[in-house]
Amino acid sequence: MASVIALLSGALAVPVLASPTTASAAETCPNTSNTYVLERRPGNTKADAYTDKTLRKYVDFDPRGGGANAPLVSTDFTAKVPWTSRIVATRGGKFYVFGRDGVKSFRDATAEGGPLLEPVDTFADTGIPWLSFEKIWASGPYILTIDNQGAFEAYFEGGHVMPNGQKTFAPAPGFPGPSDPRVKEIRAAQDVWSAGGATYTLDAGTIRKYTMARFGSAFNAPTVVATGLDDAVQGWSPGAGTVYTATASADYSGLVRGYTGTDTLVSANPSVMSGLFGDVLSDTATCLAPASEAKPVVGTPADDSDLPPAPVEPDPDPAPGPVGPRVVRGVFTLGDGRPAAGMNVLVEASDVAAEHPGSQKPPVLGTTTTAADGSWSLTLPEELPADVAAVAADNGGALNVSATVAGTTSSGVPMIGLDHTVAAIEDPATARPTAFAAEASGEQHTTAMIPAAAPDTTFAQPTAAQEATTYAAEQDASSIGAASTAPTWQADNRALESSYTPYVVNGTDVSGQAVTPYSSGTCETLRTALSSRIAYTTVGEGHASWDAYATVDYDSKLSTTVDVAVSTGSTWKASGGVSLGSSVGQTTGYTNQGPNFARQYQIPIEYTKYKYTYYCGGIARSSYQKIIAGRYSVPAGGAVGKMGADVRYKDGYSKFNASPKSHRAYVEPGSYFQLSRGKSVKWNGAASVFGVSLGAATTYDRDHKQRITAGKKAGRHDIWGQNDRVSGNPGLFFSW
């Protein structure tokens, strides 16, 4: 039944079964079940152990089917549980909290608009050592325990009431003692719970089922009902015939799997949900009904009146106007954010010579100077060098450009500013920029100068073990994707402290010092390739909740902008990006996945790490590194594209209810809606490469789109845009 939380011992406790029960003819079997999670922050520190825990309520909309036909949905209902306590859930939304100040019972009153933990009773202290039990869990009306000597005991609310009105617990006699081999097995198990008159244990990937001839007697020899669940760390049952397991949640991405069966469990849904972290307490019913066909709703219905139907797809882009000047622009600042005025800006083509080994000088496209406010702009020449024009044409008409400023502070510290932007080059056949190039170009970045490395620096490259400790490795390991914006700075050889700053040099903060540009002659850079790697990169995301199906198309060619990372040592920051529009062969995305589905989609892109040396007047002034995305490249034996992170947590009723009403629309049964113009949201953590996490965004067109197709159940399928109305520029849309 309910999962048990052994906070003090660190054991993952869960329920054991009460005596067999049979639903009476008059009993109504529910088709939903409440599931509660006592959240524990992954990677617990000692300080976390002394922090009150959060109990969060979920609703299982298909407990009988093991999540095969409806989702497990997180609600907005939470409550705090003291860190000094242990909590057990019993039948009917009742909880016992065992604390230093005694035992109290609570009930889930959210259905009536009350709190998740509404006080019910206070119990007298009769000397039962609740906080020192090795394991503690519930089975029907009983609280079952195993102490540190292996003694197995059961308790129930006694009929005796103290003069002060407090209730008491009484022992239930006749249970097997510590010598019972079955009790020893249960004690040693990783997790234990109960449902339908049986006790289940999870240990080393195996689930065993224990029964008693009668309640209170010795356990019979167990039956193995499932094996091979090697990554499962806990289990629970909403009722007889259903078992859920959850994987470890070191990165907030615990995966829940559903099984059904009696003597042998079979997979019902290998991915009921992800993003679960903490210890599960389940409200176990004596019988369960099939899932409802209705949309899963938790809480007060949202105001969804006057919402428009979604068009088949947004209006097409307007025809591009006359070709104007090809301008690239940006803003450079000092480290403290003040303008970097009067700096010489070197503008180069980023992509040329990317395929050549050894050292190359990127073609110079022009130079300019920053204005008083740090801004700069440059109109590219009408006649580009042949190799530059060829690279732009092969890149869908987008020319990737780098802009560099450099100089020294008043204390003699070399500084560098590195930006990366995109120019739209006209298509010779139409004399207009392509839609991809026009969408990718035009961004203006504000870029802070940073301390540079000496020109003769040999940059230390991180080991695989060091890369495994980084922010990028944490993001890559997450099955639910990046949940927040990446930090400004990342280290490629360790987890970087949030207070890191590159501006303290030899004990002096140089962020506000004036920077004098190098003034001796022509400036240029020399680029040397250090290493190349292939990393699967997020380029799409589809959503299909209740009675719907998701499609992500990423066909025919690249259409993605990826961060460029820059470094003057072992720390890195994103600084603009490169847009990739070249041919990618047969990458196709995924089609009609759902219901209750939401996944990102990834393709393999080759990334190269370069060392740059900056020269002025023929003198090497400084050096730095860059990580730059390049061509689509399938590794030997690898996938042309693959499923990425599970992002179902972005969908559902509560997220719909919290969305701006102006962003909402609905898809009529049997019809579809798709995004096929504009630009997607930027996915943080889209790729992890060389120990650095990079973001990416995709340009939508007829070959790159997000689509949802509604099923034909009664009712409508609601969607909403992340950044705008769905027929505007939403970037991404979600589903309920």
Side-chain angles (χ1 to χ4, degrees):
M1 170 160 161
S3 218
V4 183
I5 318 308
L7 294 177
L8 302 184
S9 67
L12 205 55
V14 194
V16 172
L17 314 182
S19 56
T21 56
T22 302
S24 66
E27 183 175 0
T28 300
C29 299
N31 58 10
T32 64
S33 178
N34 295 330
T35 302
Y36 308 91
V37 178
L38 193 68
E39 296 177 346
R40 290 181 296 114
R41 192 164 67 178
N44 284 3
T45 65
K46 183 176 290 187
D48 294 330
Y50 302 101
T51 302
D52 291 347
K53 304 299 186 290
T54 297
L55 183 71
R56 184 176 302 277
K57 179 179 178 179
Y58 291 74
V59 177
D60 183 351
F61 283 91
D62 183 26
R64 179 165 155 174
N69 306 296
L72 182 66
V73 177
S74 175
T75 74
D76 294 328
F77 301 123
T78 61
K80 288 296 183 182
V81 177
W83 66 270
T84 54
S85 302
R86 308 169 79 162
I87 183 171
V88 173
T90 67
R91 188 174 297 161
K94 187 172 183 178
F95 302 87
Y96 293 106
V97 176
F98 306 95
R100 292 178 176 176
D101 58 348
V103 181
K104 297 177 181 178
S105 64
F106 300 83
R107 75 179 189 100
D108 177 358
T110 56
E112 301 92 53
L116 179 55
L117 291 181
E118 181 179 78
V120 177
D121 287 314
T122 299
F123 292 81
D125 182 2
T126 55
I128 301 172
W130 300 110
L131 295 180
S132 63
F133 285 128
E134 235 177 63
K135 287 184 176 174
I136 179 172
W137 67 95
S139 175
Y142 296 95
I143 304 298
L144 305 179
T145 66
I146 298 178
D147 67 18
N148 55 15
Q149 301 299 313
F152 184 23
E153 187 65 85
Y155 299 90
F156 64 97
E157 286 191 27
H160 182 65
V161 178
M162 303 294 286
N164 61 3
Q166 293 182 337
K167 292 185 176 182
T168 60
F169 280 95
F175 279 88
S179 61
D180 188 306
R182 308 309 173 199
V183 171
K184 293 180 179 179
E185 292 169 2
I186 294 171
R187 179 189 181 191
Q190 190 175 7
D191 204 1
V192 55
W193 67 97
S194 64
T199 299
Y200 296 87
T201 62
L202 170 67
D203 194 41
T206 298
I207 295 178
R208 294 177 174 85
K209 178 181 178 181
Y210 295 79
T211 58
M212 294 179 176
R214 64 183 185 282
F215 188 63
S217 64
F219 286 105
N220 298 320
T223 301
V224 173
V225 295
T227 59
L229 313 181
D230 296 337
D231 60 351
V233 297
Q234 61 177 318
W236 67 95
S237 294
T242 298
V243 168
Y244 290 108
T245 65
T247 62
S249 53
D251 59 354
Y252 294 95
S253 59
L255 177 65
V256 176
R257 298 187 175 103
Y259 303 87
T260 56
T262 52
D263 293 333
T264 300
L265 296 178
V266 295
S267 176
N269 188 343
S271 182
V272 176
M273 69 162 289
S274 62
L276 182 143
F277 58 99
D279 299 321
V280 178
L281 300 87
S282 179
D283 189 351
T284 304
T286 57
C287 64
L288 297 168
S292 169
E293 292 265 312
K295 291 177 70 174
V297 178
V298 176
T300 304
D303 178 11
D304 58 1
S305 60
D306 303 323
L307 296 185
V312 171
E313 59 182 292
D315 295 335
D317 287 321
V323 176
R326 294 172 288 180
V327 177
V328 289
R329 58 187 181 144
V331 177
F332 282 108
T333 71
L334 303 177
D336 64 358
R338 291 182 297 145
M343 300 299 299
N344 300 324
V345 184
L346 172 65
V347 180
E348 300 170 302
S350 298
D351 296 335
V352 179
E355 300 295 328
H356 300 304
S359 299
Q360 301 286 332
K361 293 182 179 180
V364 176
L365 301 176
T367 60
T368 186
T369 304
T370 59
D373 62 356
S375 64
W376 63 273
S377 65
L378 178 74
T379 301
L380 300 183
E382 290 295 327
E383 294 295 328
L384 293 170
D387 54 353
V388 174
V391 164
D394 191 48
N395 195 44
L399 177 62
N400 291 307
V401 171
S402 67
T404 307
V405 295
T408 57
T409 68
S410 54
S411 61
V413 175
M415 302 289 285
I416 197 82
L418 304 165
D419 189 14
H420 302 84
T421 188
V422 180
I425 307 302
E426 65 271 13
D427 185 341
T430 63
R432 300 174 185 274
T434 65
F436 165 70
E439 187 70 45
S441 65
E443 289 189 358
Q444 176 175 293
H445 310 130
T446 298
T447 306
M449 300 183 72
I450 58 176
D456 58 351
T457 299
T458 300
F459 293 102
Q461 302 303 315
T463 65
Q466 289 173 327
E467 288 186 16
T469 65
T470 62
Y471 170 84
E474 177 185 342
Q475 296 305 304
D476 200 36
S478 174
S479 67
I480 61 170
S484 59
T485 303
T488 301
W489 289 94
Q490 302 176 46
D492 62 11
N493 58 5
R494 66 191 187 282
L496 191 65
E497 59 277 7
S498 59
S499 60
Y500 171 80
T501 173
Y503 294 105
V504 177
V505 181
N506 298 323
T508 299
D509 185 346
V510 300
S511 62
Q513 292 185 0
V515 179
T516 302
Y518 300 113
S519 58
S520 53
T522 302
C523 299
E524 61 184 357
T525 65
L526 182 69
R527 181 174 75 177
T528 304
L530 301 177
S531 181
S532 292
R533 292 185 188 175
I534 295 170
Y536 282 86
T537 303
T538 299
V539 295
E541 181 172 321
H543 290 261
S545 187
W546 171 80
D547 191 34
Y549 303 88
T551 295
V552 166
D553 284 336
Y554 198 90
D555 297 343
S556 304
K557 60 185 185 298
L558 282 169
S559 183
T560 294
T561 299
V562 185
D563 285 345
V564 171
V566 300
S567 172
T568 59
S570 63
T571 55
W572 297 78
K573 68 176 296 187
S575 183
V578 291
S579 292
L580 310 177
S582 57
S583 172
V584 300
Q586 302 300 314
T587 303
T588 56
Y590 55 74
T591 301
N592 290 337
Q593 298 292 315
N596 303 314
F597 173 92
R599 293 291 290 271
Q600 294 177 345
Y601 186 68
Q602 299 181 315
I603 64 168
I605 292 178
E606 184 175 45
Y607 293 80
T608 302
K609 182 190 289 186
Y610 298 98
K611 176 183 177 180
Y612 283 75
T613 304
Y614 183 84
Y615 289 84
C616 260
I619 300 173
R621 305 290 186 172
S622 60
S623 64
Y624 46 91
Q625 297 180 100
K626 296 183 184 180
I627 298 172
I628 302 178
R631 62 181 181 175
Y632 170 84
S633 183
V634 180
V640 299
K642 66 180 184 180
M643 293 290 189
D646 185 327
V647 285
R648 283 176 289 183
Y649 67 91
K650 299 180 182 180
D651 291 329
Y653 175 76
S654 63
K655 298 298 170 61
F656 172 78
N657 204 14
S659 68
K661 190 173 181 180
S662 61
H663 292 191
R664 302 175 190 169
Y666 65 89
V667 185
E668 294 183 337
S671 65
Y672 72 88
F673 169 77
Q674 67 184 22
L675 289 182
S676 55
R677 70 172 176 86
K679 202 167 190 175
S680 76
V681 297
K682 182 176 181 178
W683 291 285
N684 296 305
S688 295
V689 60
F690 297 113
V692 181
S693 180
L694 303 175
T698 286
T699 298
Y700 295 123
D701 56 30
R702 65 181 183 181
D703 297 313
H704 307 87
K705 50 187 174 283
Q706 177 194 356
R707 174 186 286 193
I708 187 170
T709 302
K712 296 184 178 181
K713 288 183 178 180
R716 71 187 196 192
H717 199 100
D718 294 283
I719 61 174
W720 66 99
Q722 176 165 318
N723 300 327
D724 192 6
R725 57 195 177 92
V726 296
S727 57
N729 293 289
L732 185 69
F733 66 83
F734 307 114
S735 163
W736 174 63

